[in-house]
Amino acid sequence: MTGQVGRQSRKLPPGNRQLTKEQIWRRITKASFAVLSYVTPNGEPRSSGVVYAAAHGRLYVAVAPDSWKALHIPATDQVAVTVPVRRGGLLAQLFPIPPATISFHARAVVHPTGRPDIASVSSELAALVPAERMAECRIVEIFPEGNFLTYGIGTSLLEMRTPDRARSRVPVG
């Protein structure tokens, strides 16, 4: 019995159960970089960093028409996204502080070149691609589904050291 006294007796309540989808979307909208993961038609996992814009509960990524993302995502229409959220302010300059993260799975649609007219959706989306390249790029429209899985969002740096306090699950819808 003495061997069980330690970790099991120190169960800590989750630190951020009160997060809302609106708070998560605010964080996603403020960021602009994410890791986009998908599976090739041969079942091989791939991921790459992307710059995105968020609007209307969706993410938008501009890709080259012959890129692996443009060619492979339509095979399953499923992706996973992780948005790193920088933390630490001044402390981050002195110590290696990992970012907080927001992860989710999503359905993705790769639009044909020249569509949709992203300038009409949002000025932030139009800023993704120079106007002269807009006609030749493809837009990946990402629709989050299920839950946002967060780590370190709404918690202090010290609480990030305790997974039970740093983790949260927030419904997308």
Side-chain angles (χ1 to χ4, degrees):
M1 192 109 164
T2 33
Q4 293 180 349
V5 173
R7 287 190 188 142
Q8 289 181 1
S9 65
R10 293 186 308 179
K11 282 276 189 193
L12 300 171
N16 54 4
R17 294 277 186 222
Q18 302 85 345
L19 285 174
T20 66
K21 69 178 181 180
E22 290 78 15
Q23 290 170 312
I24 301 300
W25 270 112
R26 261 193 304 278
R27 297 289 181 104
I28 291 171
T29 302
K30 284 183 183 178
S32 61
F33 176 81
V35 176
L36 179 65
S37 301
Y38 54 95
V39 177
T40 69
N42 294 334
E44 299 169 331
R46 295 282 184 260
S47 64
S48 57
V50 295
V51 175
Y52 70 86
H56 312 294
R58 301 175 187 142
L59 300 185
Y60 297 85
V61 177
V63 300
D66 60 348
S67 69
W68 281 15
K69 292 178 283 297
L71 299 174
H72 294 313
I73 290 173
T76 64
D77 295 335
Q78 296 295 305
V79 297
V81 178
T82 298
V83 178
V85 179
R86 185 168 154 72
R87 299 196 45 146
L90 182 60
L91 282 177
Q93 295 176 8
L94 303 172
F95 303 104
I97 297 174
T101 58
I102 301 167
S103 298
F104 56 91
H105 68 272
R107 184 174 53 82
V109 175
V110 180
H111 292 281
T113 55
R115 302 198 103 187
D117 178 17
I118 65 170
S120 68
V121 176
S122 167
S123 60
E124 292 86 15
L125 302 180
L128 280 176
V129 181
E132 62 275 6
R133 288 192 40 222
M134 186 57 65
E136 61 191 52
C137 76
R138 296 182 75 180
I139 301 299
V140 180
E141 187 173 11
I142 300 169
F143 302 84
E145 297 178 335
N147 293 299
F148 292 116
L149 305 175
T150 70
Y151 195 90
I153 303 293
T155 62
S156 70
L157 290 175
L158 285 177
E159 286 177 316
M160 279 184 77
R161 296 173 58 188
T162 308
D164 284 346
R165 287 187 172 205
R167 285 189 292 232
S168 184
R169 181 180 300 259
V170 178
V172 167

PDB file of all heavy atoms in Angstrom, residues 61-67 112-115 118 126-139:
ATOM      1  N   VAL A  61      -6.040  26.945 -46.767  1.00  0.00           N
ATOM      2  CA  VAL A  61      -4.619  26.832 -47.071  1.00  0.00           C
ATOM      3  C   VAL A  61      -4.466  26.889 -48.582  1.00  0.00           C
ATOM      4  O   VAL A  61      -5.177  26.184 -49.304  1.00  0.00           O
ATOM      5  CB  VAL A  61      -4.053  25.492 -46.538  1.00  0.00           C
ATOM      6  CG1 VAL A  61      -2.597  25.334 -46.911  1.00  0.00           C
ATOM      7  CG2 VAL A  61      -4.248  25.382 -45.029  1.00  0.00           C
ATOM      8  N   ALA A  62      -3.546  27.708 -49.063  1.00  0.00           N
ATOM      9  CA  ALA A  62      -3.259  27.774 -50.499  1.00  0.00           C
ATOM     10  C   ALA A  62      -2.101  26.823 -50.800  1.00  0.00           C
ATOM     11  O   ALA A  62      -1.085  26.841 -50.102  1.00  0.00           O
ATOM     12  CB  ALA A  62      -2.897  29.200 -50.898  1.00  0.00           C
ATOM     13  N   VAL A  63      -2.273  25.970 -51.816  1.00  0.00           N
ATOM     14  CA  VAL A  63      -1.235  25.005 -52.179  1.00  0.00           C
ATOM     15  C   VAL A  63      -1.020  25.014 -53.689  1.00  0.00           C
ATOM     16  O   VAL A  63      -1.905  25.405 -54.458  1.00  0.00           O
ATOM     17  CB  VAL A  63      -1.588  23.568 -51.709  1.00  0.00           C
ATOM     18  CG1 VAL A  63      -1.744  23.523 -50.193  1.00  0.00           C
ATOM     19  CG2 VAL A  63      -2.836  23.038 -52.388  1.00  0.00           C
ATOM     20  N   ALA A  64       0.151  24.561 -54.099  1.00  0.00           N
ATOM     21  CA  ALA A  64       0.434  24.429 -55.528  1.00  0.00           C
ATOM     22  C   ALA A  64      -0.432  23.318 -56.107  1.00  0.00           C
ATOM     23  O   ALA A  64      -0.699  22.315 -55.435  1.00  0.00           O
ATOM     24  CB  ALA A  64       1.907  24.110 -55.742  1.00  0.00           C
ATOM     25  N   PRO A  65      -0.894  23.459 -57.341  1.00  0.00           N
ATOM     26  CA  PRO A  65      -1.794  22.456 -57.923  1.00  0.00           C
ATOM     27  C   PRO A  65      -1.166  21.076 -58.056  1.00  0.00           C
ATOM     28  O   PRO A  65      -1.874  20.077 -58.058  1.00  0.00           O
ATOM     29  CB  PRO A  65      -2.161  23.022 -59.296  1.00  0.00           C
ATOM     30  CG  PRO A  65      -1.361  24.242 -59.490  1.00  0.00           C
ATOM     31  CD  PRO A  65      -0.670  24.588 -58.220  1.00  0.00           C
ATOM     32  N   ASP A  66       0.165  21.004 -58.135  1.00  0.00           N
ATOM     33  CA  ASP A  66       0.835  19.710 -58.260  1.00  0.00           C
ATOM     34  C   ASP A  66       1.484  19.251 -56.953  1.00  0.00           C
ATOM     35  O   ASP A  66       2.264  18.308 -56.940  1.00  0.00           O
ATOM     36  CB  ASP A  66       1.879  19.774 -59.379  1.00  0.00           C
ATOM     37  CG  ASP A  66       2.947  20.823 -59.123  1.00  0.00           C
ATOM     38  OD1 ASP A  66       2.776  21.664 -58.215  1.00  0.00           O
ATOM     39  OD2 ASP A  66       3.970  20.815 -59.841  1.00  0.00           O
ATOM     40  N   SER A  67       1.140  19.892 -55.837  1.00  0.00           N
ATOM     41  CA  SER A  67       1.715  19.517 -54.542  1.00  0.00           C
ATOM     42  C   SER A  67       1.116  18.201 -54.046  1.00  0.00           C
ATOM     43  O   SER A  67       0.029  17.803 -54.456  1.00  0.00           O
ATOM     44  CB  SER A  67       1.455  20.611 -53.505  1.00  0.00           C
ATOM     45  OG  SER A  67       0.075  20.665 -53.181  1.00  0.00           O
ATOM     46  N   PRO A 112     -10.660  23.303 -57.053  1.00  0.00           N
ATOM     47  CA  PRO A 112      -9.913  23.450 -58.316  1.00  0.00           C
ATOM     48  C   PRO A 112      -9.217  24.808 -58.375  1.00  0.00           C
ATOM     49  O   PRO A 112      -9.596  25.738 -57.655  1.00  0.00           O
ATOM     50  CB  PRO A 112     -10.993  23.363 -59.396  1.00  0.00           C
ATOM     51  CG  PRO A 112     -12.227  22.895 -58.718  1.00  0.00           C
ATOM     52  CD  PRO A 112     -12.090  23.165 -57.258  1.00  0.00           C
ATOM     53  N   THR A 113      -8.234  24.917 -59.219  1.00  0.00           N
ATOM     54  CA  THR A 113      -7.533  26.187 -59.367  1.00  0.00           C
ATOM     55  C   THR A 113      -8.519  27.294 -59.719  1.00  0.00           C
ATOM     56  O   THR A 113      -9.500  27.072 -60.436  1.00  0.00           O
ATOM     57  CB  THR A 113      -6.451  26.107 -60.471  1.00  0.00           C
ATOM     58  OG1 THR A 113      -7.060  25.667 -61.670  1.00  0.00           O
ATOM     59  CG2 THR A 113      -5.322  25.185 -60.086  1.00  0.00           C
ATOM     60  N   GLY A 114      -8.274  28.456 -59.140  1.00  0.00           N
ATOM     61  CA  GLY A 114      -9.139  29.598 -59.403  1.00  0.00           C
ATOM     62  C   GLY A 114     -10.414  29.640 -58.590  1.00  0.00           C
ATOM     63  O   GLY A 114     -11.190  30.578 -58.715  1.00  0.00           O
ATOM     64  N   ARG A 115     -10.682  28.626 -57.715  1.00  0.00           N
ATOM     65  CA  ARG A 115     -11.902  28.602 -56.915  1.00  0.00           C
ATOM     66  C   ARG A 115     -11.575  28.212 -55.502  1.00  0.00           C
ATOM     67  O   ARG A 115     -10.645  27.469 -55.293  1.00  0.00           O
ATOM     68  CB  ARG A 115     -12.898  27.592 -57.479  1.00  0.00           C
ATOM     69  CG  ARG A 115     -13.227  27.926 -58.921  1.00  0.00           C
ATOM     70  CD  ARG A 115     -14.438  27.252 -59.312  1.00  0.00           C
ATOM     71  NE  ARG A 115     -15.486  28.270 -59.297  1.00  0.00           N
ATOM     72  CZ  ARG A 115     -16.743  28.011 -59.475  1.00  0.00           C
ATOM     73  NH1 ARG A 115     -17.147  26.786 -59.618  1.00  0.00           N
ATOM     74  NH2 ARG A 115     -17.628  28.952 -59.483  1.00  0.00           N
ATOM     75  N   ILE A 118     -11.391  33.512 -53.069  1.00  0.00           N
ATOM     76  CA  ILE A 118     -11.116  33.730 -51.655  1.00  0.00           C
ATOM     77  C   ILE A 118     -11.118  35.207 -51.278  1.00  0.00           C
ATOM     78  O   ILE A 118     -11.315  35.533 -50.123  1.00  0.00           O
ATOM     79  CB  ILE A 118      -9.816  33.053 -51.188  1.00  0.00           C
ATOM     80  CG1 ILE A 118      -8.606  33.671 -51.872  1.00  0.00           C
ATOM     81  CG2 ILE A 118      -9.871  31.565 -51.379  1.00  0.00           C
ATOM     82  CD1 ILE A 118      -7.306  33.229 -51.286  1.00  0.00           C
ATOM     83  N   ALA A 126      -7.255  36.331 -48.819  1.00  0.00           N
ATOM     84  CA  ALA A 126      -6.633  36.871 -50.031  1.00  0.00           C
ATOM     85  C   ALA A 126      -5.159  37.165 -49.794  1.00  0.00           C
ATOM     86  O   ALA A 126      -4.357  37.100 -50.727  1.00  0.00           O
ATOM     87  CB  ALA A 126      -7.363  38.125 -50.474  1.00  0.00           C
ATOM     88  N   ALA A 127      -4.775  37.439 -48.552  1.00  0.00           N
ATOM     89  CA  ALA A 127      -3.379  37.732 -48.236  1.00  0.00           C
ATOM     90  C   ALA A 127      -2.504  36.481 -48.268  1.00  0.00           C
ATOM     91  O   ALA A 127      -1.282  36.580 -48.241  1.00  0.00           O
ATOM     92  CB  ALA A 127      -3.290  38.393 -46.867  1.00  0.00           C
ATOM     93  N   LEU A 128      -3.093  35.288 -48.338  1.00  0.00           N
ATOM     94  CA  LEU A 128      -2.299  34.058 -48.389  1.00  0.00           C
ATOM     95  C   LEU A 128      -1.453  33.952 -49.650  1.00  0.00           C
ATOM     96  O   LEU A 128      -0.362  33.410 -49.621  1.00  0.00           O
ATOM     97  CB  LEU A 128      -3.216  32.833 -48.352  1.00  0.00           C
ATOM     98  CG  LEU A 128      -3.760  32.384 -47.018  1.00  0.00           C
ATOM     99  CD1 LEU A 128      -4.721  31.224 -47.224  1.00  0.00           C
ATOM    100  CD2 LEU A 128      -2.656  32.001 -46.076  1.00  0.00           C
ATOM    101  N   VAL A 129      -1.988  34.424 -50.739  1.00  0.00           N
ATOM    102  CA  VAL A 129      -1.344  34.224 -52.029  1.00  0.00           C
ATOM    103  C   VAL A 129      -1.288  35.547 -52.775  1.00  0.00           C
ATOM    104  O   VAL A 129      -2.293  36.262 -52.834  1.00  0.00           O
ATOM    105  CB  VAL A 129      -2.150  33.201 -52.873  1.00  0.00           C
ATOM    106  CG1 VAL A 129      -1.500  32.959 -54.215  1.00  0.00           C
ATOM    107  CG2 VAL A 129      -2.301  31.903 -52.113  1.00  0.00           C
ATOM    108  N   PRO A 130      -0.132  35.882 -53.355  1.00  0.00           N
ATOM    109  CA  PRO A 130      -0.080  37.103 -54.181  1.00  0.00           C
ATOM    110  C   PRO A 130      -1.113  37.024 -55.313  1.00  0.00           C
ATOM    111  O   PRO A 130      -1.377  35.943 -55.848  1.00  0.00           O
ATOM    112  CB  PRO A 130       1.338  37.086 -54.743  1.00  0.00           C
ATOM    113  CG  PRO A 130       2.118  36.189 -53.842  1.00  0.00           C
ATOM    114  CD  PRO A 130       1.139  35.188 -53.293  1.00  0.00           C
ATOM    115  N   ALA A 131      -1.681  38.135 -55.644  1.00  0.00           N
ATOM    116  CA  ALA A 131      -2.759  38.184 -56.641  1.00  0.00           C
ATOM    117  C   ALA A 131      -2.374  37.523 -57.958  1.00  0.00           C
ATOM    118  O   ALA A 131      -3.192  36.834 -58.569  1.00  0.00           O
ATOM    119  CB  ALA A 131      -3.172  39.634 -56.881  1.00  0.00           C
ATOM    120  N   GLU A 132      -1.127  37.691 -58.386  1.00  0.00           N
ATOM    121  CA  GLU A 132      -0.717  37.124 -59.671  1.00  0.00           C
ATOM    122  C   GLU A 132      -0.652  35.588 -59.642  1.00  0.00           C
ATOM    123  O   GLU A 132      -0.700  34.948 -60.684  1.00  0.00           O
ATOM    124  CB  GLU A 132       0.630  37.707 -60.132  1.00  0.00           C
ATOM    125  CG  GLU A 132       1.816  37.426 -59.220  1.00  0.00           C
ATOM    126  CD  GLU A 132       1.966  38.411 -58.062  1.00  0.00           C
ATOM    127  OE1 GLU A 132       1.083  39.279 -57.875  1.00  0.00           O
ATOM    128  OE2 GLU A 132       2.960  38.305 -57.351  1.00  0.00           O
ATOM    129  N   ARG A 133      -0.560  34.985 -58.470  1.00  0.00           N
ATOM    130  CA  ARG A 133      -0.522  33.524 -58.363  1.00  0.00           C
ATOM    131  C   ARG A 133      -1.881  32.917 -58.026  1.00  0.00           C
ATOM    132  O   ARG A 133      -2.050  31.705 -58.058  1.00  0.00           O
ATOM    133  CB  ARG A 133       0.493  33.101 -57.299  1.00  0.00           C
ATOM    134  CG  ARG A 133       1.919  33.320 -57.757  1.00  0.00           C
ATOM    135  CD  ARG A 133       2.941  32.652 -56.864  1.00  0.00           C
ATOM    136  NE  ARG A 133       2.528  31.339 -56.425  1.00  0.00           N
ATOM    137  CZ  ARG A 133       2.701  30.892 -55.180  1.00  0.00           C
ATOM    138  NH1 ARG A 133       3.280  31.644 -54.279  1.00  0.00           N
ATOM    139  NH2 ARG A 133       2.304  29.685 -54.835  1.00  0.00           N
ATOM    140  N   MET A 134      -2.849  33.750 -57.688  1.00  0.00           N
ATOM    141  CA  MET A 134      -4.153  33.263 -57.245  1.00  0.00           C
ATOM    142  C   MET A 134      -4.806  32.328 -58.260  1.00  0.00           C
ATOM    143  O   MET A 134      -5.383  31.301 -57.896  1.00  0.00           O
ATOM    144  CB  MET A 134      -5.087  34.435 -56.952  1.00  0.00           C
ATOM    145  CG  MET A 134      -6.404  34.014 -56.347  1.00  0.00           C
ATOM    146  SD  MET A 134      -6.238  33.085 -54.823  1.00  0.00           S
ATOM    147  CE  MET A 134      -5.515  34.316 -53.781  1.00  0.00           C
ATOM    148  N   ALA A 135      -4.710  32.642 -59.537  1.00  0.00           N
ATOM    149  CA  ALA A 135      -5.381  31.846 -60.565  1.00  0.00           C
ATOM    150  C   ALA A 135      -4.798  30.448 -60.685  1.00  0.00           C
ATOM    151  O   ALA A 135      -5.476  29.532 -61.137  1.00  0.00           O
ATOM    152  CB  ALA A 135      -5.315  32.556 -61.911  1.00  0.00           C
ATOM    153  N   GLU A 136      -3.554  30.256 -60.258  1.00  0.00           N
ATOM    154  CA  GLU A 136      -2.926  28.942 -60.445  1.00  0.00           C
ATOM    155  C   GLU A 136      -2.848  28.089 -59.168  1.00  0.00           C
ATOM    156  O   GLU A 136      -2.445  26.941 -59.235  1.00  0.00           O
ATOM    157  CB  GLU A 136      -1.536  29.102 -61.050  1.00  0.00           C
ATOM    158  CG  GLU A 136      -0.600  29.899 -60.162  1.00  0.00           C
ATOM    159  CD  GLU A 136       0.681  30.292 -60.878  1.00  0.00           C
ATOM    160  OE1 GLU A 136       0.587  30.858 -61.978  1.00  0.00           O
ATOM    161  OE2 GLU A 136       1.753  30.020 -60.321  1.00  0.00           O
ATOM    162  N   CYS A 137      -3.228  28.615 -58.023  1.00  0.00           N
ATOM    163  CA  CYS A 137      -3.146  27.815 -56.800  1.00  0.00           C
ATOM    164  C   CYS A 137      -4.471  27.089 -56.536  1.00  0.00           C
ATOM    165  O   CYS A 137      -5.494  27.401 -57.130  1.00  0.00           O
ATOM    166  CB  CYS A 137      -2.763  28.679 -55.611  1.00  0.00           C
ATOM    167  SG  CYS A 137      -4.086  29.710 -54.983  1.00  0.00           S
ATOM    168  N   ARG A 138      -4.403  26.114 -55.646  1.00  0.00           N
ATOM    169  CA  ARG A 138      -5.607  25.420 -55.198  1.00  0.00           C
ATOM    170  C   ARG A 138      -5.787  25.743 -53.725  1.00  0.00           C
ATOM    171  O   ARG A 138      -4.829  25.888 -52.989  1.00  0.00           O
ATOM    172  CB  ARG A 138      -5.467  23.911 -55.404  1.00  0.00           C
ATOM    173  CG  ARG A 138      -5.347  23.582 -56.909  1.00  0.00           C
ATOM    174  CD  ARG A 138      -5.259  22.120 -57.151  1.00  0.00           C
ATOM    175  NE  ARG A 138      -6.589  21.521 -56.975  1.00  0.00           N
ATOM    176  CZ  ARG A 138      -6.822  20.230 -57.128  1.00  0.00           C
ATOM    177  NH1 ARG A 138      -5.864  19.401 -57.437  1.00  0.00           N
ATOM    178  NH2 ARG A 138      -8.037  19.760 -56.948  1.00  0.00           N
ATOM    179  N   ILE A 139      -7.021  25.864 -53.304  1.00  0.00           N
ATOM    180  CA  ILE A 139      -7.335  26.179 -51.907  1.00  0.00           C
ATOM    181  C   ILE A 139      -7.848  24.912 -51.237  1.00  0.00           C
ATOM    182  O   ILE A 139      -8.772  24.268 -51.732  1.00  0.00           O
ATOM    183  CB  ILE A 139      -8.397  27.298 -51.803  1.00  0.00           C
ATOM    184  CG1 ILE A 139      -7.923  28.573 -52.496  1.00  0.00           C
ATOM    185  CG2 ILE A 139      -8.755  27.554 -50.341  1.00  0.00           C
ATOM    186  CD1 ILE A 139      -6.659  29.174 -51.912  1.00  0.00           C
TER     187      ILE A 139
END
